[in-house]
Amino acid sequence: MHPFDEAIDLRASALADAPHEFIGKTHPAYANMVGPFGGTTSAQLLQSAMLHPERLGEPVALTVNFAAPVADGDIRFVARPVRTNRSTQHWIIEAHQAEGVVATATAVFAVRRETWSDIEAVMPANVPAPEAVARMPVKGMPAWPQRYDMRFVEGAFPAAFDEQEQAHSRSTLWMRDEPERALDFASLAALSDSFFPRIYIRRRRRALIGTVSLTTYFHADSALLAQVGTRHVLGVAKALNYRHGYFDQTGELWSPEGQLLASTHQLVYFKD
């Protein structure tokens, strides 16, 4: 089994009075410097709704709020559909550990239908193919970056924190799971959090950081994700503002053919 599939392998609670509960745990392959990679936690929260027998349609939006540090070990997920309409469904999801709630999420699922479609976002032009870009070295990094094949066109993670401040924090890179794995909603949710903190790129200095809130909008359906398969997707990320101990970062994930798969925005705490 792929390490990511092991990480999102949740089992339904055996308790008769807990029909909305699923049990999972952190995975060492996605460990961060402290606790697990937040993208994996986001994927687990989404997966608990994906596995729920009352699920309607596919995810279109997911917002995760990290309420406390997630400790290594077991996690209990509670996924409740709070409103089901004809074509949309609204979810509240919680992640529990011994000390209480460590993360909450809201999700919207929908039955997609054919409509007029157009796109205003623009995929970066003249980007070299993944095969023409060297993979980022991961030796000495936490476990989770080693689970991704990242190939930076610009804005790479600093090889050294030399405190040479940059003019911007924009990154463009090809990425996919390592080892390769077919793209689905859970892995797309995790990829949405795989952009390194923008303050590291901008200031090239170490800082204590932590994601507070992460929202991902899924523009792709399962058919489009199946077309991507195991190929690289193009990621673009930047920050808009740093102020009073918080900064945001926004990202886009594109198929090789130029289809926007997901857009994401998060708020990050930093200590200066």
Side-chain angles (χ1 to χ4, degrees), residues 110-126:
V111 177
R112 297 178 184 268
R113 56 189 177 88
E114 289 298 322
T115 64
W116 172 85
S117 300
D118 199 5
I119 185 169
E120 295 190 11
V122 178
M123 180 179 178
N126 303 317

Side-chain angles (χ1 to χ4, degrees), residues 10-260:
L10 311 182
R11 68 181 188 277
S13 173
L15 300 176
D17 60 346
H20 305 296
E21 294 190 8
F22 296 84
I23 309 301
K25 59 183 178 181
T26 59
H27 195 291
Y30 293 91
N32 206 344
M33 291 180 289
V34 177
F37 165 47
T40 310
T41 304
S42 296
Q44 291 171 323
L45 287 157
L46 180 65
Q47 186 73 350
S48 66
M50 294 288 293
L51 294 173
H52 200 291
E54 297 178 27
R55 172 172 67 89
L56 173 73
E58 298 177 340
V60 296
L62 173 70
T63 295
V64 177
N65 296 313
F66 295 92
V70 179
D72 293 330
D74 292 343
I75 310 175
R76 179 171 58 92
F77 297 94
V78 181
R80 297 188 302 274
V82 295
R83 173 86 185 207
T84 300
N85 301 315
R86 186 175 66 176
S87 61
T88 61
Q89 190 174 56
H90 299 260
W91 291 80
I92 294 177
I93 312 166
E94 299 171 349
H96 295 253
Q97 290 190 303
E99 65 274 23
V101 173
V102 293
T104 64
T106 58
V108 180
F109 283 63
V111 177
R112 297 178 184 268
R113 56 189 177 88
E114 289 298 322
T115 64
W116 172 85
S117 300
D118 199 5
I119 185 169
E120 295 190 11
V122 178
M123 180 179 178
N126 303 317
V127 176
E131 297 77 18
V133 183
R135 183 181 174 187
M136 181 189 75
V138 293
K139 184 178 180 181
M141 300 190 76
W144 79 263
Q146 301 178 45
R147 298 280 65 80
Y148 290 99
D149 179 343
M150 298 183 181
R151 299 168 184 249
F152 282 88
V153 178
E154 65 171 334
F157 187 81
F161 286 97
D162 55 17
E163 301 191 9
Q164 298 299 307
E165 187 166 319
Q166 307 298 296
H168 63 79
S169 63
R170 185 175 59 251
S171 291
T172 303
L173 70 153
W174 292 104
M175 61 177 89
R176 69 176 176 186
D177 285 287
E178 176 62 38
E180 64 184 50
R181 176 187 181 276
L183 190 65
D184 58 18
F185 288 110
S187 59
L188 186 57
L191 276 171
S192 294
D193 192 37
S194 66
F195 298 108
F196 292 109
R198 296 297 90 195
I199 198 167
Y200 290 172
I201 312 302
R202 175 68 186 273
R203 303 190 75 191
R204 296 174 66 95
R205 62 185 295 181
R206 299 186 186 277
L208 293 175
I209 62 95
T211 299
V212 176
S213 184
L214 166 66
T215 295
T216 299
Y217 298 111
F218 302 96
H219 304 294
D221 59 11
S222 56
L224 179 53
L225 297 184
Q227 291 177 22
V228 175
T230 61
R231 295 179 296 161
H232 290 83
V233 300
L234 186 70
V236 182
K238 64 180 181 180
L240 301 180
N241 190 65
Y242 309 84
R243 188 174 178 84
H244 294 161
Y246 294 90
F247 67 91
D248 68 330
Q249 59 185 50
T250 183
E252 302 164 3
L253 293 166
W254 297 82
S255 76
E257 291 77 27
Q259 292 284 344
L260 184 61

